[in-house]
Amino acid sequence: MLVLENIEWELPDGGQIVRGIDLTVTAGKLTVVTGPNGGGKTSLAKLIAGLEKPTRGRILLDGEDITDMGITERAQRGIAYAFQQPVRFKGLTVRDLLTLAAGGELQEDKLCGVLGQVGLCTRDYIDREVNSSLSGGEIKRIEIASVLVRKGRKLAVFDEPEAGIDLWSFNGLVDAFKQLKESKKESLMIISHQERLLEIADEIVVVADGKIRMAGPGQEVLPQLLAGEKASRCPWGKEEGR
């Protein structure tokens, strides 16, 4: 279980990005974080992954204070993070990347299975380099696959996994998230605007202006968001155009 206690994050110039967030990501459940662009969702994900350090507050993983730990230490403790804009690695093949992520050799059926989950044909991609020859959507899917093969995951964080992915591949990705959710082996957090991902969430958290504006069970929060859209109002409480 991941617990955030009064998390704040300020830029060096004093600009406040995250403003006193308290959040619990329950073990074995899928939490989807949504909200307007620039509201602090990705910043929150980076603070959880260890890419940034909060100015104030504590982050606990299964009761252990990991606030001062970097990304490597957090990864060793079971936090896996899929970037909104994945890194490319010249000279490293897809097979190499997945092997490194898994911590050991993977059987061909496992490779086929995980690449199939993200909509990629193993034969076409397994020996390709993870470089600029891959499109944004392709590199995104490969990075998601690298998270899916990680052993010892306690928390997997996916930042806008739908970005750059076609409809057919996205359908498979939703199924993959459903399977992960149903296994109840880990905590899942997805940053997303996609209604289909919101629909399968156990918990939905709405972040805007660096604060949590709404949070609760998915079946309770989603209807409120959809009702706000139908009423031509921003679901975070402000009228459009204001």
Side-chain angles (χ1 to χ4, degrees):
M1 181 170 66
L2 182 80
V3 178
L4 279 64
E5 297 179 347
N6 193 32
I7 293 297
E8 298 185 5
W9 182 46
E10 296 176 359
L11 298 177
D13 63 5
Q16 198 168 23
I17 306 301
V18 176
R19 307 164 183 263
I21 284 184
D22 292 301
L23 176 64
T24 297
V25 182
T26 307
K29 291 190 176 182
L30 169 58
T31 299
V32 176
V33 179
T34 191
N37 291 331
K41 302 184 303 299
T42 291
S43 296
L44 183 62
K46 288 181 177 179
L47 288 166
I48 291 171
L51 292 165
E52 301 290 350
K53 183 179 177 180
T55 309
R56 279 174 288 279
R58 294 199 307 163
I59 302 175
L60 307 174
L61 181 66
D62 290 344
E64 181 183 12
D65 190 336
I66 62 170
T67 311
D68 294 325
M69 294 182 186
I71 187 170
T72 300
E73 289 177 288
R74 295 191 194 194
Q76 290 170 343
R77 280 163 173 75
I79 294 180
Y81 178 58
F83 290 81
Q84 188 177 42
Q85 297 181 343
V87 178
R88 298 172 188 270
F89 302 94
K90 186 176 180 180
L92 194 72
T93 67
V94 172
R95 184 190 299 275
D96 295 334
L97 180 63
L98 296 181
T99 298
L100 287 170
E105 292 296 326
L106 293 168
Q107 299 296 323
E108 291 300 310
D109 59 342
K110 179 64 175 179
L111 290 169
C112 288
V114 73
L115 289 174
Q117 281 183 298
V118 297
L120 296 176
C121 172
T122 305
R123 180 182 61 188
D124 294 340
Y125 285 92
I126 195 63
D127 293 317
R128 287 187 63 176
E129 285 192 20
V130 187
N131 58 20
S132 59
S133 68
L134 295 168
S135 70
E138 289 170 328
I139 193 72
K140 184 80 172 182
R141 282 178 274 181
I142 289 165
E143 186 187 41
I144 292 170
S146 73
V147 171
L148 295 179
V149 298
R150 277 276 307 275
K151 295 179 181 177
R153 292 191 314 263
K154 293 182 179 178
L155 170 69
V157 181
F158 300 89
D159 193 355
E160 296 195 15
E162 70 272 15
I165 295 181
D166 59 74
L167 175 62
W168 295 271
S169 298
F170 179 66
N171 289 338
L173 197 57
V174 172
D175 289 339
F177 287 135
K178 284 181 180 178
Q179 291 174 21
L180 287 173
K181 171 187 168 181
E182 290 167 2
S183 72
K184 297 187 180 298
K185 292 180 179 178
E186 63 193 285
S187 302
L188 300 171
M189 175 183 281
I190 301 177
I191 312 294
S192 180
H193 302 285
Q194 267 286 340
E195 186 174 335
R196 286 196 60 197
L197 291 175
L198 291 166
E199 286 174 347
I200 66 172
D202 293 304
E203 303 283 333
I204 294 177
V205 178
V206 180
V207 175
D209 194 28
K211 300 178 181 179
I212 293 179
R213 298 298 187 181
M214 189 186 309
Q219 67 269 23
E220 295 178 11
V221 175
L222 183 56
Q224 296 181 58
L225 298 182
L226 297 178
E229 290 183 355
K230 291 178 181 178
S232 297
R233 292 173 60 88
C234 170
W236 300 282
K238 296 181 181 179
E239 293 183 0
E240 289 186 350
R242 289 184 62 184

